[in-house]
Amino acid sequence: MNSNAPKRSLLGIFVLCWLGLLADGYDLYVYGATLPGLIGTPPFNVTPAAAGAVGSLALVGMLLGSLIVGTLTDRLGRRRIFVSALALFSLAMLACAVAPTWELFAVFRFIACFGVGGLLPTAVALTNEFAPPGKKSLVLGAVLTGPATGTVVASLTSLALLESSGFRPVYAIGAGGLLLVPFAWFLLPESPSFLRTQLRNAEADRIEAAYGLPRTPEAPASSVRISPTRALFANGTARTTALLWAITVLSLLTIFGVSTWLPQIMRTAGYGVGSSVSFLLAYSVGAVVGTVLASVASQKFGPRLVIVGFVSAAVALLLMSVNPPAAIMTVLAAVAGFGGLGTQNMINDYIAQFYPAATRATGLGWALAVGRIGAIAGPTYGALLVGFGGGVPAAAMAFAAPALVGAVLMLALRSKTTKQAHVARDAELVS
């Protein structure tokens, strides 16, 4: 532990990461919230199939963003990538707001999601590294309420503006992330672990002293050029890496299928536009509360409670399939949010704690990139359900299935993860 008393507060780092993720969540989930104002209405008059295709295409952008930017974060540094991703998706949201055609809207949506995909691995890596030892799950859980809070803001904004003003002002508000760019550039410190991989040990020492952080071990020159991607399959971690990828695929399929199509599915069931979006709001509130509760439980019991999240989502969705009254449906949507986005936040915490600092952003970036296969499939999967007219019962049962499979895979992961995590931690200490 550094002997010097900390000269700077860690709170500013965590608040900036949280605000960046709030903007990230708003820009990502606003598409589902605005679908009732896009499908069959001017100026684009899109069909459900076209809307599902654009939703999936945009998530290809997220896949590429998570893969490329997540890996670059461990090579170019957290701060630079954080600021670049934030600026990119905020500018793209502004472009969506003024897009004259559906085709251009789709292009700008793709670019926005590329930036969104790159921000999360960077923000999680930064938060995990600066969080005090013994409180990492609590701090990371608090910061990871950002995306869910952004979803709440997107839902409330859509409720307030969509029927009266259309989708354009809702997307224009999503460009507000640009206001954070100068603060992030001047106030966010660089990662000491990254600086040590670049042999910039004096800078790392100054940052650790300024924030009262434990001193990270110096990286020997021979290890600097080792690929972070290859390290994901070294030291006995290959099995866990593969399982984490599969679990993330199932989690993101459930999240993006439900969050994209929940308002439209409820609208086809006879609810108005405002009432339909309110179900997404309940889903989002459940995700925020679930993330907070999960972070507290994870700090005490470890992030293996992902299983509880998967089961909660599956049970809530199965109960929604019996088409209960609106009040009960709202409660079930909130529980599905806890088990959906709340579960993915626990998975992110799990991954961040499993991989050592030198490969943390790469590990999370690759898991999210592979997981985007599920995210890409989710909107198209939902579009098929809407197109076939299955209604709420069929959609709810269909989205419960991947959540149940995710719980089963998490049970398989639990059996060997503790030993593998110790191997990864040992590798971090000797690197």
Side-chain angles (χ1 to χ4, degrees), residues 31-382:
Y31 185 69
T34 54
L35 272 186
L38 290 170
I39 294 177
T41 60
F44 299 142
N45 296 302
V46 297
T47 64
V54 169
S56 293
L57 178 65
L59 294 174
V60 173
M62 284 197 71
L63 185 157
L64 295 174
S66 297
L67 179 60
I68 296 172
V69 180
T71 302
L72 287 177
T73 297
D74 284 325
R75 293 183 177 274
L76 301 179
R78 323 284 202 229
R79 173 174 163 272
R80 186 185 307 173
I81 296 298
F82 184 97
V83 172
S84 299
L86 180 61
L88 179 63
F89 70 67
S90 298
L91 287 170
M93 284 291 288
L94 186 60
C96 285
V98 298
T101 66
W102 178 246
E103 290 74 18
L104 282 174
F105 178 92
V107 170
F108 297 140
R109 185 69 188 152
F110 177 90
I111 296 171
C113 285
F114 180 91
V116 166
L119 186 75
L120 181 61
T122 308
V124 169
L126 264 175
T127 301
N128 187 278
E129 184 162 351
F130 281 91
K135 295 184 179 180
K136 290 187 181 293
S137 287
L138 282 173
V139 174
L140 187 56
V143 170
L144 283 173
T145 61
T149 304
T151 311
V152 172
V153 177
S155 302
L156 290 173
T157 305
S158 295
L159 279 171
L161 298 176
L162 190 60
E163 284 190 283
S164 61
S165 305
F167 74 93
R168 295 191 188 277
V170 182
Y171 282 83
I173 290 171
L178 289 172
L179 299 174
L180 296 175
V181 168
F183 293 96
W185 180 256
F186 289 109
L187 298 180
L188 275 182
E190 186 49 88
S191 153
S193 292
F194 166 75
L195 292 172
R196 295 203 189 281
T197 66
Q198 306 300 304
L199 302 183
R200 294 158 60 183
N201 294 310
E203 292 179 59
D205 288 340
R206 286 196 296 271
I207 291 173
E208 288 168 345
Y211 288 96
L213 300 176
R215 192 178 189 280
T216 53
E218 295 184 10
S222 60
S223 70
V224 172
R225 297 184 181 276
I226 293 176
S227 166
T229 305
R230 289 173 56 192
L232 302 182
F233 297 91
N235 300 315
T237 60
R239 176 183 182 274
T240 300
T241 293
L243 278 171
L244 286 170
W245 289 3
I247 289 166
T248 307
V249 167
L250 294 164
S251 173
L252 293 181
L253 187 152
T254 305
I255 290 170
F256 284 93
V258 173
S259 64
T260 299
W261 285 105
L262 183 59
Q264 186 63 20
I265 289 171
M266 302 312 292
R267 189 181 180 191
T268 60
Y271 295 93
V273 172
S275 297
S276 298
V277 175
S278 69
F279 287 107
L280 181 60
L281 176 60
Y283 179 91
S284 305
V285 171
V288 174
V289 175
T291 299
V292 173
L293 294 176
S295 67
V296 174
S298 293
Q299 189 62 52
K300 185 173 182 179
F301 302 108
R304 297 177 181 178
L305 293 175
V306 174
I307 297 170
V308 176
F310 272 125
V311 172
S312 298
V315 170
L317 289 166
L318 287 172
L319 291 175
M320 288 175 74
S321 70
V322 302
N323 218 351
I328 296 176
M329 188 75 82
T330 302
V331 173
L332 292 174
V335 175
F338 160 73
L341 191 54
T343 294
Q344 183 56 46
N345 286 333
M346 284 190 279
I347 294 171
N348 293 338
D349 181 14
Y350 195 107
I351 294 170
Q353 294 197 40
F354 178 76
Y355 292 110
T359 57
R360 186 165 293 131
T362 300
L364 188 57
W366 270 88
L368 290 173
V370 174
R372 300 305 175 198
I373 296 171
I376 291 164
T380 302
Y381 186 40

Side-chain angles (χ1 to χ4, degrees), residues 406-429:
V408 172
L409 289 183
M410 199 65 207
L411 285 171
L413 181 64
R414 288 184 63 183
S415 61
K416 294 187 178 181
T417 294
T418 301
K419 180 180 177 181
Q420 291 175 329
H422 289 162
V423 172
R425 291 298 174 197
D426 292 342
E428 180 173 2
L429 291 175

